[in-house]
Amino acid sequence: MKLQRKNRLRALSLGVVAVSGALALTACGSDDTSGGPGGEKSKDSSAAAAPSASSDIDCSDAKGELLASGSSAQQNAIDAWVKSYTAACKDVRINYSPDGSGAGVTAFLQGRTAFAGSDSALKPDEIKKSADVCKSSQAIDLPMVGGPIAIGYNVPGVDNLVLDAKTLAHIFDGKISAWDDKEIKALNPDAKLPSTKIQAFHRSDESGTTDNFTKYLKAVAPGDWKYEGGKAWQAKGGQSAQGSSGLAQQVKQTPGAISYFELSYAADGIKTVDIKTKAAEPVKATTENASKAIAAAKVAGKGKDLALELDYNPSAAGAYPITLVTYEIACEKGNKAETLPATKSFLNYVASEDGQGRLADAGYAPIPDAIITKVRETIASLS
């Protein structure tokens, strides 16, 4: 009976994948509260062997509601994954709240969620604190989503715009106030730049996207970006909005606006900046170009922690420098018995070949093979 049930689930998952994937992409940014697991899991071979990178969705003993929260950067990816996964695993409900990376990590460390999404790896003090909820173990970072942080702008009459780290630092620090400033003109000699006032928007909530964007500014233009960085915006001035969707909406409706958000939010006609790097030609914000940069990342975490170290100042042609990797954060050991089966089942799917294959169409970059293979092995060992 168990084998027959598993085969039926696999057949169902293959039948719904194409339809649910299309639905997921049309529902990007929606608040999807369907799906999320819980339930006892018996000790079987799935806990010892690494899951294969197949399109099968193995529901195992997963059931109930799985609560998670965090990065709004990965919300569109989560939406797509949840629709496919819960179509196959009918006994599971996944409730992911895109409250921002900071809020997501806090909720996880307080034991209120089964896993968190964060665009920044855990800090040493957060790893230490995680022992309180991970029962003599610790939380680990599992890279699942990659992609470019696009610089979206709304400058009427300007269809192509090139900026570099120094100019971006000056714009977001309020040192450049108009679009026809000489610094911008020097990078765009053929553009008809208006005297429109620059309206720079940043995140009002703690965000891993902010952390990664400011890491780029600090790494490439340290003499022009004097702030320490982190999930909270530190520069003075400018305007703020909640979440990546809030920033994208402000850019879309505000002439003269500029902001930073994941490429998946640069829709409905929002133009994006090409970034000047050490390479000969400016680089466009595309998933392919982000993948070139992420492929050069190094694993900086210890043990089973797979936190990555990104190069924000690449010289390779076509490597987009403002990239982020979103992590799912879970306990290595000591996960709650009632949510462990669903957590492993869902994360197995997210890391699978099919799960990763959905990212490009949603504006994200899949995690490189060498890294995602380690992620699959680590998920299999969660207990």
Side-chain angles (χ1 to χ4, degrees), residues 349-368:
Y349 170 63
V350 168
S352 73
E353 186 175 296
D354 182 67
Q356 290 291 299
R358 295 187 175 280
L359 293 177
D361 287 340
Y364 300 95
I367 300 299

Side-chain angles (χ1 to χ4, degrees), residues 171-239:
I171 287 173
F172 282 91
D173 201 20
K175 294 177 181 177
I176 293 179
S177 58
W179 280 107
D180 61 352
D181 186 274
K182 61 182 181 180
E183 273 194 53
I184 302 177
K185 283 184 176 180
L187 292 167
N188 301 272
D190 298 327
K192 295 182 179 180
L193 297 165
S195 59
T196 306
K197 180 181 178 181
I198 293 176
Q199 306 279 357
F201 286 88
H202 58 266
R203 289 280 288 268
S204 60
D205 53 320
E206 288 197 357
S207 161
T209 312
T210 294
D211 190 17
N212 283 276
F213 176 52
T214 55
K215 279 180 179 176
Y216 160 74
L217 296 177
K218 188 174 178 64
V220 187
D224 301 281
W225 191 259
K226 301 293 188 179
Y227 305 98
E228 293 182 3
K231 294 177 182 177
W233 185 260
Q234 296 174 342
K236 307 300 179 183
Q239 302 179 64

Side-chain angles (χ1 to χ4, degrees), residues 6 9-14 16-17 20 54-60 81 83-89 345-346 348-349 352 354 358:
K6 186 173 182 179
L9 288 171
R10 287 184 172 179
L12 175 60
S13 69
L14 293 172
V16 301
V17 152
S20 61
S54 73
S55 60
D56 290 348
I57 299 176
D58 185 357
C59 302
S60 299
W81 286 330
K83 287 181 182 294
S84 292
Y85 177 81
T86 56
C89 300
S345 175
F346 179 64
N348 277 338
Y349 170 63
S352 73
D354 182 67
R358 295 187 175 280

Side-chain angles (χ1 to χ4, degrees), residues 2-345:
K2 185 174 182 180
L3 180 59
Q4 290 176 345
R5 179 176 181 270
K6 186 173 182 179
N7 289 337
R8 286 198 300 272
L9 288 171
R10 287 184 172 179
L12 175 60
S13 69
L14 293 172
V16 301
V17 152
V19 175
S20 61
L23 290 173
L25 296 179
T26 59
C28 285
S30 64
D31 292 327
D32 191 322
T33 58
S34 64
E40 295 289 329
K41 180 172 179 64
S42 59
K43 294 183 179 180
D44 56 25
S45 59
S46 65
S52 61
S54 73
S55 60
D56 290 348
I57 299 176
D58 185 357
C59 302
S60 299
D61 299 323
K63 59 184 177 181
E65 183 175 33
L66 189 65
L67 299 178
S69 66
S71 166
S72 64
Q74 70 170 3
Q75 182 183 358
N76 293 340
I78 289 284
D79 285 347
W81 286 330
V82 166
K83 287 181 182 294
S84 292
Y85 177 81
T86 56
C89 300
K90 299 293 188 180
D91 295 332
V92 176
R93 290 179 297 115
I94 300 174
N95 189 338
Y96 182 83
S97 299
D99 301 326
S101 298
V105 171
T106 297
F108 176 79
L109 293 177
Q110 292 175 347
R112 294 190 281 117
T113 54
F115 69 89
S118 177
D119 308 326
S120 297
L122 291 168
K123 297 178 180 178
D125 62 318
E126 292 171 333
I127 292 177
K128 183 178 180 180
K129 186 176 180 181
S130 70
D132 295 338
V133 294
C134 294
K135 305 292 173 72
S136 301
S137 179
Q138 68 171 56
I140 54 176
D141 299 285
L142 301 170
M144 291 291 196
V145 181
I149 300 175
I151 308 299
Y153 70 97
N154 181 347
V155 184
V158 180
D159 294 328
N160 298 288
L161 185 67
V162 175
L163 296 174
D164 59 12
K166 179 181 178 180
T167 307
L168 284 168
H170 289 169
I171 287 173
F172 282 91
D173 201 20
K175 294 177 181 177
I176 293 179
S177 58
W179 280 107
D180 61 352
D181 186 274
K182 61 182 181 180
E183 273 194 53
I184 302 177
K185 283 184 176 180
L187 292 167
N188 301 272
D190 298 327
K192 295 182 179 180
L193 297 165
S195 59
T196 306
K197 180 181 178 181
I198 293 176
Q199 306 279 357
F201 286 88
H202 58 266
R203 289 280 288 268
S204 60
D205 53 320
E206 288 197 357
S207 161
T209 312
T210 294
D211 190 17
N212 283 276
F213 176 52
T214 55
K215 279 180 179 176
Y216 160 74
L217 296 177
K218 188 174 178 64
V220 187
D224 301 281
W225 191 259
K226 301 293 188 179
Y227 305 98
E228 293 182 3
K231 294 177 182 177
W233 185 260
Q234 296 174 342
K236 307 300 179 183
Q239 302 179 64
S240 64
Q242 177 84 16
S244 294
S245 59
L247 293 181
Q249 182 62 31
Q250 290 297 332
V251 169
K252 184 178 179 181
Q253 68 187 19
T254 308
I258 185 171
S259 191
Y260 56 93
F261 36 76
E262 298 68 42
L263 183 62
S264 61
Y265 290 91
D268 299 327
I270 296 179
K271 301 180 183 69
T272 61
V273 171
D274 294 350
I275 303 298
K276 181 175 175 56
T277 69
K278 291 186 293 185
E281 298 294 330
V283 184
K284 293 185 178 297
T286 67
T287 56
E288 293 81 6
N289 290 342
S291 292
K292 293 177 183 178
I294 295 172
K298 299 178 181 178
V299 175
K302 297 180 180 180
K304 293 187 177 181
D305 184 75
L306 298 176
L308 301 179
E309 181 179 322
L310 298 171
D311 181 4
Y312 293 102
N313 194 19
S315 57
Y320 186 78
I322 320 176
T323 58
L324 62 74
V325 170
T326 291
Y327 302 90
E328 309 313 330
I329 295 170
C331 291
E332 179 181 350
K333 298 179 181 179
N335 290 280
K336 295 179 180 178
E338 63 271 21
T339 58
L340 178 60
T343 298
K344 292 181 69 171
S345 175

Side-chain angles (χ1 to χ4, degrees), residues 358-379:
R358 295 187 175 280
L359 293 177
D361 287 340
Y364 300 95
I367 300 299
D369 288 344
I371 298 172
I372 202 64
T373 297
K374 294 180 181 179
V375 172
R376 292 169 187 146
E377 294 169 352
T378 302
I379 293 170

